Amino acid sequence: MESYLASLFLFLCLGRALTAPELLNEEVKRTIDLSTHLAKVTAELSLVNSAGSSGAASSFLLALDPGLESHLAYLGVQVKGEEEEENTLEVKETKVKSKSGRIFTVKLPSSLAPGAKIRLSVETVFTHVLQPYPTHITQSEKQFVIFEGNHYFYSPYPTKTQTTRVKLASRNVESYTKLGNPSRSEDMIEYGPFKDIPPYSEDTLKVHYENNSPFLTITSMTRVIEVSHWGNIAVEETIDLKHTGAVLKGPFSRYDYQRQPDSGISSVKSFKTILPAAAQDVYYRDEIGNISTSHLLVLDDSVEMEIRPRFPLFGGWKTHYIIGYNLPSYEYLFNLGDQYALKMRFVDHVFDEQVTDSLTVKIILPEGAKNIHVDSPYEISRAPDELHYTYLDTFGRPVIVAHKSNLVEQHIQDIVVHYNFNKVLMLQEPLLVVGAFYILFFTVILYVRLDFSITKDPAAEARMKVACITEQVLTLVNKRLGLYRHFDESVNKYKQSRDISTLNSGKKSLETEHKALTSEIASLQSKLKAEGSDLCDKVSEIQKLDSQVKELVLKSSVEAERLVVGKLKKDTYIENEKLHSNKRQELITKIDNILDAL
């Protein structure tokens, strides 16, 4: 039974080998762009399914040079000549038996029949492959680098013919390999054509040349995107930047740097960051504070910001800064009912030919967002979601945390975050504010009206009681003085009408109410005396002065009665009335002074 299964397995393997398509690289044109601090390798190839092949090919294998595979940042395959929206092919990493290294499977747009061919463009970007040599230079020296690669197109398939062009950053070349008697013109070296190259062929290509382009590397970057459904998206990027070129040897002279144009030719004075066209409220700062050497230029389709660090960056030097801005949410946030989609760039432009060693993106969604799903154009590493608390939050805002390393400009693409959000939750913050003010006012009312003291203060209670009694005395005395003014009106009416009943009624009312008020004041005077207050004597003095006022008021009424019945002459009445009025006013003034002193 075991021998039968082994025979069957061998038969299947042989059958598969017999039916596997036989692919051939008919023509390959490689271009290695070394004009910046990146190595950009573009290969234009004609892939042919041999006429004698037994089947159509739906995909093909793509291999990387063993010496460069660990530095790969981007790999893209396109069908040459097709529309840009349709030409990008699906690439997945795979494994091949008995062959190490990184190998990818590229799915063709349609099956390649035997004898048919397709023209493809393979673009790869490698980082940190240009090594400074010498590794240390002075401020006045130029920077030279070494690149090591492969003369041949490294492929699992045989190549019929191939050429390789190397584009350099300058015409100053120290040395380069001479395989196949290459031709050189200005900043270009051309190898080939090479004929009938076997699969997985290797031959070291080495170039030592001058390259003073900015060797800037973002060693660490944290990009925080905070989404608000009230119409704003806040973006903040914290960036650690390093010059990864040849390390500066010796001292730095600011005088020579400003006086000589070629001093520090490989250093970086400034660079441009491109922000979205809708960016506003832009800020650029570090630990010290705002950096005022930056410049902002608003264009039709973008906002250009010139970033100028506090000092020029030489090899090995680092800087750290924070840049932030606000965006209107209607340009990036879309919804259908309670379903929302946020479409923003995973990484944005920091400088030309950028390299990011480590990137962390945090997307802070509104509180209450759920059913979160992220669509990314390339593979990213999702960390566990976090919670972010800010003002008026109760159970926290969900935070999507994603990481990716070794990014270049080709990674500036949009990601889409889908989530559900109940719009009723937008009332949460206003209601929290209303509730907070309600609780504050209610607390103030309770604090003012209730006594929270632990022990009683007899002296304070006595003062409060005396103040309360004094207030009652003031009210009663003023009310009693008002009785006299009301009685004066009754006397005047009597003098006009000569109706004695009017005078008697007013006098009776005065006596009755005056007696009651005087009694109440006397009772309050007794309470003040019981409390031991010295105000008791002042109240007693008021009582004495009031009795004198009453006596004058009654005396004036008697003389008015005598005037009406003819027992007193008018001149005498007027003179006496004037005298009584003056005395009465003096007494009332004394009473008012005492009341003011209470």
Side-chain angles (χ1 to χ4, degrees):
M1 182 67 180
E2 292 180 356
S3 59
Y4 172 78
L5 292 176
S7 301
L8 180 61
F9 177 77
L10 180 61
F11 175 78
L12 291 175
C13 291
L14 290 173
R16 182 176 180 182
L18 290 173
T19 58
E22 298 177 5
L23 300 180
L24 170 69
N25 299 318
E26 185 179 56
E27 182 183 12
V28 177
K29 296 180 180 180
R30 291 177 73 213
T31 301
I32 304 176
D33 187 354
L34 305 178
S35 59
T36 63
H37 65 132
L38 299 173
K40 303 177 183 177
V41 182
T42 303
E44 296 181 0
L45 58 96
S46 294
L47 186 66
V48 178
N49 191 1
S50 301
S53 178
S54 57
S58 60
S59 63
F60 71 97
L61 297 178
L62 192 63
L64 296 180
D65 289 329
L68 300 178
E69 61 180 16
S70 61
H71 300 277
L72 178 68
Y74 173 78
L75 170 61
V77 182
Q78 298 176 339
V79 179
K80 194 171 178 59
E82 296 291 334
E83 295 296 330
E84 185 177 354
E85 290 80 2
E86 302 175 357
N87 66 353
T88 302
L89 303 183
E90 182 182 350
V91 179
K92 290 184 178 181
E93 190 165 0
T94 186
K95 295 291 183 181
V96 175
K97 291 183 180 180
S98 71
K99 196 65 182 177
S100 60
R102 301 184 65 182
I103 299 178
F104 299 84
T105 299
V106 182
K107 186 177 181 180
L108 294 172
S110 60
S111 296
L112 194 64
K117 67 179 179 179
I118 185 172
R119 294 183 60 83
L120 302 170
S121 176
V122 180
E123 180 184 8
T124 51
V125 180
F126 301 95
T127 61
H128 304 300
V129 294
L130 301 182
Q131 301 302 319
Y133 189 81
T135 58
H136 295 69
I137 59 175
T138 62
Q139 181 175 335
S140 60
E141 291 180 322
K142 297 178 180 179
Q143 178 175 264
F144 286 81
V145 298
I146 291 179
F147 170 77
E148 292 188 5
N150 190 356
H151 284 105
Y152 303 122
F153 177 60
Y154 191 76
S155 173
Y157 311 113
T159 302
K160 190 173 182 180
T161 178
Q162 178 219 317
T163 59
T164 298
R165 304 177 68 188
V166 181
K167 183 180 179 183
L168 305 178
S170 68
R171 67 177 68 180
N172 191 2
V173 181
E174 289 288 309
S175 64
Y176 60 95
T177 52
K178 305 292 195 300
L179 179 68
N181 192 20
S183 62
R184 177 188 165 195
S185 61
E186 296 294 330
D187 58 351
M188 189 76 68
I189 302 174
E190 296 190 15
Y191 292 90
F194 303 116
K195 303 290 185 179
D196 299 325
I197 305 169
Y200 299 110
S201 294
E202 291 184 73
D203 190 87
T204 302
L205 165 67
K206 187 173 182 180
V207 185
H208 186 200
Y209 67 102
E210 180 185 343
N211 188 344
N212 294 308
S213 60
F215 271 56
L216 280 181
T217 300
I218 302 172
T219 57
S220 176
M221 176 177 175
T222 301
R223 177 174 165 89
V224 180
I225 303 171
E226 184 171 357
V227 182
S228 171
H229 281 194
W230 294 100
N232 187 69
I233 298 177
V235 180
E236 184 176 89
E237 297 175 348
T238 304
I239 297 175
D240 290 311
L241 204 61
K242 182 180 180 181
H243 192 303
T244 53
V247 178
L248 179 65
K249 179 175 63 176
F252 165 66
S253 172
R254 174 73 70 173
Y255 174 74
D256 292 339
Y257 188 75
Q258 294 180 343
R259 184 174 63 90
Q260 300 176 2
D262 58 345
S263 179
I265 191 172
S266 61
S267 66
V268 179
K269 295 181 181 179
S270 64
F271 53 88
K272 286 185 179 180
T273 294
I274 300 178
L275 307 179
Q280 55 188 355
D281 305 326
V282 182
Y283 58 89
Y284 167 46
R285 59 182 174 84
D286 57 11
E287 285 83 353
I288 299 176
N290 183 58
I291 304 175
S292 59
T293 53
S294 60
H295 299 283
L296 202 67
L297 178 62
V298 179
L299 304 176
D300 292 337
D301 57 348
S302 64
V303 175
E304 283 189 2
M305 186 175 187
E306 182 185 7
I307 301 294
R308 185 178 293 271
R310 297 184 184 274
F311 48 85
L313 295 177
F314 285 84
W317 289 18
K318 304 176 182 179
T319 188
H320 171 88
Y321 68 90
I322 298 172
I323 185 172
Y325 50 91
N326 292 323
L327 297 170
S329 61
Y330 67 85
E331 292 191 9
Y332 303 92
L333 188 62
F334 311 93
N335 78 295
L336 179 62
D338 289 343
Q339 297 179 358
Y340 287 81
L342 175 70
K343 187 177 182 181
M344 290 195 68
R345 289 177 174 177
F346 186 74
V347 62
D348 216 333
H349 181 279
V350 181
F351 52 85
D352 293 339
E353 309 295 346
Q354 68 187 44
V355 176
T356 305
D357 287 345
S358 177
L359 171 67
T360 299
V361 176
K362 296 184 177 182
I363 303 177
I364 305 174
L365 299 177
E367 190 175 35
K370 55 185 180 179
N371 299 330
I372 302 171
H373 173 68
V374 179
D375 290 334
S376 174
Y378 40 78
E379 185 179 355
I380 59 175
S381 175
R382 282 282 302 275
D385 291 350
E386 301 175 355
L387 288 177
H388 175 76
Y389 293 91
T390 183
Y391 57 90
L392 300 179
D393 286 342
T394 53
F395 47 87
R397 305 185 181 191
V399 181
I400 301 172
V401 182
H403 304 282
K404 190 169 179 60
S405 58
N406 203 15
L407 294 95
V408 290
E409 282 189 349
Q410 285 77 2
H411 292 102
I412 301 179
Q413 300 181 42
D414 292 332
I415 63 168
V416 181
V417 180
H418 302 272
Y419 63 93
N420 293 344
F421 179 80
N422 191 346
K423 294 181 180 179
V424 177
L425 293 177
M426 294 185 67
L427 299 175
Q428 175 179 329
E429 293 182 359
L431 291 177
L432 283 175
V433 173
V434 172
F437 277 107
Y438 178 82
I439 294 173
L440 175 63
F441 294 149
F442 185 74
T443 304
V444 170
I445 292 172
L446 290 179
Y447 180 78
V448 171
R449 294 182 176 272
L450 298 181
D451 183 12
F452 295 96
S453 59
I454 299 176
T455 59
K456 293 184 178 181
D457 186 356
E461 291 185 359
R463 287 194 297 271
M464 291 178 61
K465 188 177 294 186
V466 168
C468 182
I469 295 173
T470 303
E471 187 68 26
Q472 295 179 27
V473 170
L474 291 175
T475 303
L476 294 175
V477 169
N478 288 325
K479 189 174 181 180
R480 190 167 61 180
L481 292 176
L483 294 177
Y484 299 140
R485 291 190 291 272
H486 183 69
F487 183 66
D488 288 341
E489 294 177 359
S490 299
V491 171
N492 291 332
K493 289 181 181 180
Y494 166 67
K495 288 190 293 183
Q496 293 176 1
S497 64
R498 297 176 181 272
D499 184 4
I500 191 64
S501 62
T502 302
L503 180 62
N504 292 335
S505 175
K507 186 181 295 185
K508 184 178 180 181
S509 176
L510 173 64
E511 291 290 348
T512 303
E513 295 184 17
H514 185 276
K515 184 177 180 180
L517 293 174
T518 303
S519 177
E520 289 185 31
I521 294 174
S523 175
L524 295 174
Q525 180 182 356
S526 300
K527 292 181 179 179
L528 289 173
K529 187 175 182 180
E531 294 294 335
S533 174
D534 55 355
L535 297 179
C536 175
D537 297 335
K538 294 184 178 181
V539 175
S540 176
E541 186 177 354
I542 291 174
Q543 294 285 67
K544 293 178 181 179
L545 293 174
D546 181 75
S547 63
Q548 296 179 26
V549 173
K550 180 183 178 184
E551 183 179 349
L552 290 174
V553 170
L554 293 177
K555 187 177 291 186
S556 296
S557 67
V558 171
E559 291 188 353
E561 186 176 356
R562 292 178 61 194
L563 174 65
V564 171
V565 298
K567 294 182 179 181
L568 184 65
K569 294 182 179 180
K570 186 175 182 179
D571 294 339
T572 304
Y573 173 77
I574 293 174
E575 184 178 351
N576 291 340
E577 182 64 21
K578 185 177 180 181
L579 180 63
H580 293 157
S581 178
N582 291 337
K583 289 182 179 180
R584 177 178 166 183
Q585 188 61 40
E586 289 178 2
L587 293 173
I588 292 176
T589 301
K590 290 181 180 180
I591 293 174
D592 289 340
N593 291 335
I594 296 173
L595 292 175
D596 293 339
L598 290 179

